[in-house]
Amino acid sequence: MDALIKPLRGSKPSDVKSNNVKPAGFSPAQLDPSEFLAAVQPNRQRPSRHEAEGAIRTLLSYIGENPDREGLLDTPRRVIELYDEIYQGYHQCPAEVLNRTFGETAGYDDFVLVRDIQFTSQCEHHMMPFYGKAHIAYTPVERVVGLSKLARLTDIFARRLQTQEHMTAQIAAAVDEVLKPRGVAVMIEAEHTCMSVRGVAKHGAMTFTSRYTGVFRDNPTEQARFLSMVRG
């Protein structure tokens, strides 16, 4: 089941396209660099841990539970500790992950692909998990980045409240802006529990999103090679 790509945040044109001819005047939507180059408002004042735990107690009461019963006494603390772990991407800098590169490539001029990068993220609409795999390729110009850095980059964006479309665009934009390659290709495939567990409850339905820049966007052959290698 393929998902339609909705417009990215902001009012600029979206990057909705097929593999066919792009419409006249087409230009991809641009992201604010603060979305993919830095930690998210690292100095922003936040509620205290005590206040956050109090909010969890309120939610427990809302669903009809007794937050003072034995089994729930430590639940607010555990939930906030969980939040510190799964949302740590707000405090990490994507640009720093990609900044260290290597120049000893022996003239390598083909693209580099890291596929099947497993991740789990949280849907910003219902705060429910979505999980799957990211596939990232880029065609370097003289210097390459450590392969683990692409996996770390994926984790930084995944550990924030997200939509799959936005996460796909952020990863591509970060690689494109920091590494300045000849092109970037990103594909994400994921299952969303907000539609497999609740709502329409379609377990196993997969959503695919992609983003291409440079040679991958302009050269159908390179795009086809990327897709072929991703599908194995």
Side-chain angles (χ1 to χ4, degrees):
M1 177 177 178
D2 291 347
L4 295 177
I5 307 302
K6 69 181 183 181
L8 299 173
R9 291 176 174 82
S11 59
K12 297 183 179 180
S14 68
D15 196 17
V16 180
K17 62 175 182 292
S18 69
N19 290 332
N20 299 320
V21 178
K22 294 184 284 292
F26 170 87
S27 63
Q30 300 299 311
L31 298 181
D32 182 341
S34 66
E35 293 189 0
F36 58 84
L37 290 182
V40 178
Q41 298 179 323
N43 299 319
R44 184 176 187 178
Q45 185 175 0
R46 298 189 295 165
S48 68
R49 179 172 291 272
H50 178 73
E51 290 172 321
E53 291 180 5
I56 301 302
R57 287 179 56 84
T58 298
L59 290 175
L60 288 172
S61 296
Y62 174 77
I63 65 174
E65 265 290 358
N66 173 15
D68 293 318
R69 71 176 175 87
E70 182 179 5
L72 294 177
L73 286 177
D74 284 338
T75 295
R77 174 184 60 79
R78 294 189 186 104
V79 171
I80 298 307
E81 288 176 352
L82 168 70
Y83 279 15
D84 287 342
E85 178 181 348
I86 65 176
Y87 296 124
Q88 61 184 281
Y90 284 106
H91 312 292
Q92 297 172 325
C93 178
E96 288 181 1
V97 171
L98 297 174
N99 267 336
R100 186 179 180 187
T101 58
F102 305 91
E104 296 179 355
T105 62
Y108 184 82
D109 61 357
D110 203 351
F111 66 73
V112 177
L113 166 65
V114 180
R115 74 177 196 182
D116 298 335
I117 302 171
Q118 296 186 358
F119 73 90
T120 299
S121 188
Q122 308 292 318
C123 167
E124 67 181 31
H125 299 143
H126 300 97
M127 295 184 72
M128 294 185 69
F130 68 95
Y131 53 89
K133 300 176 181 178
H135 316 285
I136 306 172
Y138 72 101
T139 304
V141 177
E142 297 181 353
R143 302 184 66 84
V144 297
V145 70
L147 300 178
S148 67
K149 306 305 183 185
L150 297 178
R152 292 182 185 277
L153 179 71
T154 301
D155 279 345
I156 288 176
F157 289 123
R159 291 173 180 172
R160 302 175 180 181
L161 289 176
Q162 283 286 12
T163 67
Q164 183 175 330
E165 299 92 336
H166 195 225
M167 179 176 161
T168 305
Q170 285 178 316
I171 293 173
V175 176
D176 202 41
E177 179 67 24
V178 178
L179 299 185
K180 307 293 186 185
R182 289 195 289 274
V184 179
V186 177
M187 174 180 285
I188 293 179
E189 50 184 293
E191 180 171 347
H192 293 246
T193 59
C194 60
M195 69 173 285
S196 64
V197 174
R198 61 164 295 282
V200 294
K202 299 302 180 185
H203 178 74
M206 299 296 292
T207 299
F208 291 80
T209 51
S210 61
R211 182 80 157 189
Y212 303 104
T213 73
V215 295
F216 291 101
R217 182 186 63 224
D218 302 331
N219 187 336
T221 300
E222 289 298 276
Q223 193 174 128
R225 288 181 62 219
F226 166 75
L227 293 173
S228 176
M229 293 177 70
V230 164
R231 292 165 179 162

